Amino acid sequence: HVQLVESGGGSVQAGGSLKLSCAASGYTAEVSCMGWFRRSPGKDSEGVASIFLDSPGPGTTDYADSVKGRFTISRENANNTLYLQMNSLKPEDTGVYYCGASSLTFSCLSRLNFPYRGQGTQVTVS
């Protein structure tokens, strides 16, 4: 199993920035894909960003159209930590952000279907 713990959420004014972190522990050797998704009140869950750890290429990333050019996903291999740098935040970015991990390519393609998930961190943009 893989355990994920998010941090870095908070409240920020529109146009501001936040950086989310996700610390992974446990059997991380099976993980080939990690990502972030969010849940907002009154909306369906949205896959925000994902990063492939091996195939099709280490570091290959994918983003939802709603965050392209504003959000950046990255991973620090040394400490098994996933990040989401969020710039130019908008009120519609408000929601609970979850970190996910998977051994399945489909999880990265969907940016949603992660078997392993964290507890979430609240992001509020006003």
Side-chain angles (χ1 to χ4, degrees), residues 10-11 25 43 46 56 83 97 114:
S11 297
S25 60
K43 298 181 182 179
E46 179 183 21
Y83 300 100
Y97 284 69
F114 296 100

Side-chain angles (χ1 to χ4, degrees), residues 4-5 9 11 17 30 38-39 54-55 64 66 78-79 83 90 92 95-96 108 111 113-118 121 125:
L4 303 169
V5 179
S11 297
S17 298
E30 71 174 292
R38 64 189 180 189
R39 290 179 178 158
D54 42 51
S55 177
S66 59
N79 57 13
Y83 300 100
K90 305 175 181 179
E92 51 263 44
V96 179
C108 264
R111 287 180 259 107
N113 296 287
F114 296 100
Y116 301 111
R117 302 177 173 192
T121 185
V125 185

Side-chain angles (χ1 to χ4, degrees), residues 9-28:
S11 297
V12 65
Q13 291 187 336
S17 298
L18 282 173
K19 186 173 184 178
L20 306 183
S21 299
C22 172
S25 60
Y27 192 59
T28 57

